[in-house]
Amino acid sequence: MSNYHIKHLEEYYQVYRKSVREPESFWEEIAEEHFLWRKKWDAVLDWDFSKPEISWFKGAKLNITENCIDRHLTTRGNKTAILFEPNHPDEVAEHISYNELYKRVNKFANVLKEQGIKKGDRVCIYVPMIPELAISVLACARIGAIHSVVFAGFSAAALATRINDSDCKMVITSDGSYRGSKTIDLKGIVDEALESCSCVETVLVAKRIKTEIYMKAGRDQWLAPLLAKASDVCAPEIMDAEDPLFILYTSGSTGMPKGMVHTTAGYMVYTAYTFKNAFQYKENDVYWCTADIGWITGHSYIVYGPLANGATTVMFEGVPSYPDYGRFWDIVQKHKVNQFYTAPTAIRALAKQGTDVIDHYDLSSLKVLGSVGEPINEEAWHWYNENIGKKKSPIIDSWWQTETGGIMISPIPYVTPTKPTYATLPFIGIQPALMDENGNELKGNQVEGRLCIKFPWPSIARTIWGNHQRYKETYFSAFDNKYFTGDGALRDEVGYYRITGRVDDVIIVSGHNLGTAPIEDAINEHPAVAESAIVGFPHDIKGSALYGYITLKDTGETRNHDNLRTEINQLITDRIGPIAKLDKMQFTHGLPKTRSGKIMRRILRKIACNETDSLGDTSTLLNQEVVQDIIDNVL
Ligand code: WTA
């Protein structure tokens, strides 16, 4: 029996048991049979969560692009690897075959080398969803450079922070980007960011919107002429299993974003394995994940996982609402998409448009529907199931994180019976635990607690770039000898998991993780602001939206609150990006604080969520009187 492809429930349980009882021999067999190695490993797994140190396939040598591209050329050279669907439906889609992808990645890799990029150098990629994004990612991997993709919706300040944190030598960008009816001046944002980044020597610019842009002499170069001159053969850099493949930033509850470091072999094995099973991908299927490659979902399930399986993966440049709300269904029909993976926020936005728009399209190619990024509410689940899947395509509600690299808890379609709002069963090799507040594991079923993972899996992030101590404190200190996810979950009577949401100060808005601290820092920069606190509140489409309580400095002047709201949201847009704008801002006379001066966000959260009946004990507060005042003026 091959354990690579799970086809029925009994097999799932059997393989799962094996993966838990003998994890090393299990993953060794998967690695051995399904990937291309230049040298095999000396040890499958070494780990110590107390340090924490984790290594998979130590001593092995490989290049991930040989696995994602080269090895498919003999059998799938003319098959479409990347199917690029542009922003506007009138622009023709581009089918990039494996043969062509090979050439384009190799050319790009040679350009990187000519520009002085070597193994281990960090390259920041700030590119919209055009083929150059996937190709630049793979080109870095080809030569062993560490890519750090920054979502091209982040502001100049957020980009600069990320470039400086990992000392990037190069930035790859484009002249601009299309997003629905808008164009965005990406190069202008890069120029602004680079005013505060001395580490960047070169900027490579892809042409997309073809407007006049400023090119700084000696630093900026157009990509096209360099690619035209470059050879289309570039020998892959032979990497150690544990060499870093990429850095990807994610928000933390406090301070700077965390540069999660993923390494080569384990990440490859796990993303490939989960892709195959979570989507039941079969040769000739067309798979589409609507995420942006700027997020982990795009890294693992647009680029690496699908390509490692020789799949056809769709890359869509645009947005679900342009030119109208039928755009997703238009793409499904046009390319006969078989697996469709999106976020609950998109499902809710589309559901709001009604079903007329769907009825124009033939969605009969769909076999698997996926959801990721935040809990999917029951209404959205049923809408997705009935109107998109026509009750024939199983919904895989897949729970995972930037830190986990790949899908951790999810149904396997046509294998695991689904249950609305439940991510269901742990993936092969994943050992979840629910913990109570005293650090005890809750055994048995029908329990609710904090979600931890007890045993390493191949694609766990190995560290935070430049700050191993923070890695240890964030993930391995809350519970002894366990990885703590930051999420709460419950386990039902049959052992299915339901994720209940974050238990820290991270708020997920439209599927994007936002830490409260950096937003508060941005608000506090406003000269009129004394202090602020951000909490999440339920929102129809975004899942959660941001509610800000803001105390102004007492200067004796009266301020126009509407102007202040605009100015504060502008500050947030400048410091982080438009995704972090507040939906509501309440100006308060003070914020509830503990006697040690800590803001009691729990109380503010209840007020924002309209749950003032269950505020709990407020008698320990330093300034109990502000609570009633806040309730009286709630928005
Ligand atoms: C949340 C995205 C419920 C969760 C891949 C997690 C989910 C955070 C689900 C990670 C799901 C993701 N059900 N919650 N199916 N998927 N989450 O790093 O809170 O962008 O910790 O990774 O999203 O978000 P990230």
Side-chain angles (χ1 to χ4, degrees), residues 116-299:
I117 301 297
K118 297 181 301 298
K119 178 180 174 184
D121 287 344
R122 274 79 59 208
V123 173
C124 173
I125 302 177
Y126 186 72
V127 175
M129 281 288 282
I130 56 176
E132 285 80 356
L133 173 52
I135 291 167
S136 59
V137 160
L138 293 162
C140 285
R142 187 78 175 173
I143 64 165
I146 303 171
H147 56 78
S148 168
V149 182
V150 176
F151 171 60
F154 274 115
S155 70
L159 174 62
T161 305
R162 287 157 177 78
I163 291 172
N164 285 329
D165 182 68
S166 46
D167 240 332
C168 294
K169 233 170 130 175
M170 174 186 271
V171 176
I172 303 171
T173 189
S174 68
D175 53 355
S177 66
Y178 291 119
R179 260 188 99 65
S181 56
K182 285 190 265 185
T183 53
I184 298 165
D185 171 22
L186 282 193
K187 177 61 168 49
I189 297 173
V190 170
D191 289 339
E192 192 187 330
L194 293 191
E195 282 170 21
S196 45
C197 304
S198 55
C199 48
V200 174
E201 294 165 11
T202 314
V203 178
L204 298 182
V205 188
K207 250 197 183 118
R208 178 57 182 145
I209 63 170
K210 306 191 175 75
T211 50
E212 282 282 312
I213 55 163
Y214 165 72
M215 294 289 277
K216 184 172 175 178
R219 187 194 71 184
D220 303 350
Q221 304 202 55
W222 288 106
L223 192 55
L226 298 176
L227 287 171
K229 284 192 306 221
S231 152
D232 58 16
V233 178
C234 173
E237 182 78 31
I238 303 309
M239 307 292 284
D240 282 330
E242 285 295 338
D243 277 337
L245 175 63
F246 66 85
I247 301 168
L248 185 60
Y249 287 87
T250 188
S251 306
S253 12
T254 53
M256 288 273 292
K258 299 170 287 190
M260 304 313 306
V261 177
H262 282 283
T263 59
T264 308
Y267 176 82
M268 171 182 79
V269 168
Y270 194 74
T271 53
Y273 183 74
T274 46
F275 173 78
K276 176 72 184 171
N277 288 292
F279 298 101
Q280 293 286 307
Y281 184 84
K282 302 215 171 63
E283 197 68 44
N284 303 324
D285 281 351
V286 175
Y287 160 86
W288 179 22
C289 165
T290 70
D292 191 292
I293 294 176
W295 310 114
I296 191 69
T297 306
H299 280 62

Side-chain angles (χ1 to χ4, degrees), residues 297 373-375 397-402 487 499 502 508 513:
T297 306
E374 58 182 306
D397 175 3
S398 59
W399 171 83
W400 58 294
Q401 310 178 293
T402 304
D487 283 315
I499 312 302
R502 301 291 310 182
I508 304 188
N513 290 6

Side-chain angles (χ1 to χ4, degrees), residues 248-251 295-297 301 341 344 371-376 396-404 406-407 409 421-423 483 485-488 498-504 506 508 511-513:
L248 185 60
Y249 287 87
T250 188
S251 306
W295 310 114
I296 191 69
T297 306
Y301 299 112
Y341 193 27
S371 170
V372 61
E374 58 182 306
I376 178 166
I396 62 145
D397 175 3
S398 59
W399 171 83
W400 58 294
Q401 310 178 293
T402 304
E403 295 85 337
T404 69
I407 294 173
I409 304 182
T421 77
Y422 281 75
Y483 166 82
T485 64
D487 283 315
R498 177 185 186 173
I499 312 302
T500 50
R502 301 291 310 182
V503 294
D504 56 9
V506 171
I508 304 188
H512 303 315
N513 290 6

Side-chain angles (χ1 to χ4, degrees), residues 288-517:
W288 179 22
C289 165
T290 70
D292 191 292
I293 294 176
W295 310 114
I296 191 69
T297 306
H299 280 62
S300 302
Y301 299 112
I302 296 178
V303 182
Y304 289 114
L307 296 178
N309 283 283
T312 297
T313 175
V314 175
M315 248 185 103
F316 175 44
E317 182 182 27
V319 294
S321 54
Y322 179 80
D324 59 49
Y325 277 97
R327 185 69 169 121
F328 273 7
W329 320 129
D330 167 49
I331 297 171
V332 168
Q333 169 179 285
K334 182 162 148 194
H335 300 302
K336 300 193 171 48
V337 171
N338 302 109
Q339 292 90 359
F340 177 73
Y341 193 27
T342 197
T345 186
I347 300 167
R348 290 188 294 262
L350 293 164
K352 214 173 160 194
Q353 304 304 314
T355 51
D356 288 358
V357 61
I358 304 167
D359 297 338
H360 301 301
Y361 299 100
D362 176 6
L363 305 183
S364 60
S365 57
L366 289 171
K367 296 192 287 192
V368 176
L369 301 178
S371 170
V372 61
E374 58 182 306
I376 178 166
N377 50 307
E378 188 135 8
E379 207 183 334
W381 195 99
H382 286 296
W383 186 88
Y384 199 24
N385 184 39
E386 284 158 27
N387 298 294
I388 307 305
K390 320 285 183 200
K391 296 192 179 166
K392 288 194 320 254
S393 300
I395 295 179
I396 62 145
D397 175 3
S398 59
W399 171 83
W400 58 294
Q401 310 178 293
T402 304
E403 295 85 337
T404 69
I407 294 173
M408 301 289 283
I409 304 182
S410 171
I412 294 178
Y414 302 99
V415 170
T416 321
T418 58
K419 175 173 176 182
T421 77
Y422 281 75
T424 75
L425 297 172
F427 225 89
I428 304 298
I430 304 305
Q431 303 187 34
L434 297 179
M435 311 296 292
D436 71 14
E437 299 203 350
N438 304 319
N440 302 313
E441 183 173 348
L442 299 161
K443 300 279 186 182
N445 288 339
Q446 291 187 295
V447 288
E448 180 168 355
R450 300 188 165 213
L451 178 61
C452 288
I453 313 290
K454 292 194 272 196
F455 193 85
W457 62 99
S459 65
I460 182 174
R462 305 295 198 260
T463 190
I464 292 175
W465 184 264
N467 199 345
H468 197 67
Q469 186 58 27
R470 187 173 179 200
Y471 174 71
K472 178 175 176 169
E473 281 162 16
T474 311
Y475 304 106
F476 297 91
S477 302
F479 301 100
D480 232 16
N481 213 25
K482 290 181 183 63
Y483 166 82
F484 174 46
T485 64
D487 283 315
L490 60 82
R491 192 161 52 221
D492 77 358
E493 61 288 353
V494 299
Y496 274 17
Y497 289 84
R498 177 185 186 173
I499 312 302
T500 50
R502 301 291 310 182
V503 294
D504 56 9
D505 286 329
V506 171
I507 304 172
I508 304 188
V509 178
S510 299
H512 303 315
N513 290 6
L514 298 171
T516 50

Side-chain angles (χ1 to χ4, degrees), residues 537-556:
F537 72 99
H539 185 280
D540 283 4
I541 292 180
K542 299 179 180 183
S544 295
L546 301 177
Y547 195 118
Y549 297 91
I550 299 167
T551 310
L552 299 176
K553 286 181 188 154
D554 190 6
T555 56

Side-chain angles (χ1 to χ4, degrees), residues 94-111:
E94 196 182 339
H95 291 253
I96 303 172
S97 67
Y98 275 93
N99 281 331
E100 199 189 335
L101 184 64
Y102 173 84
K103 288 188 188 151
R104 289 177 69 172
V105 167
N106 282 295
K107 274 177 172 281
F108 207 129
N110 281 323
V111 169

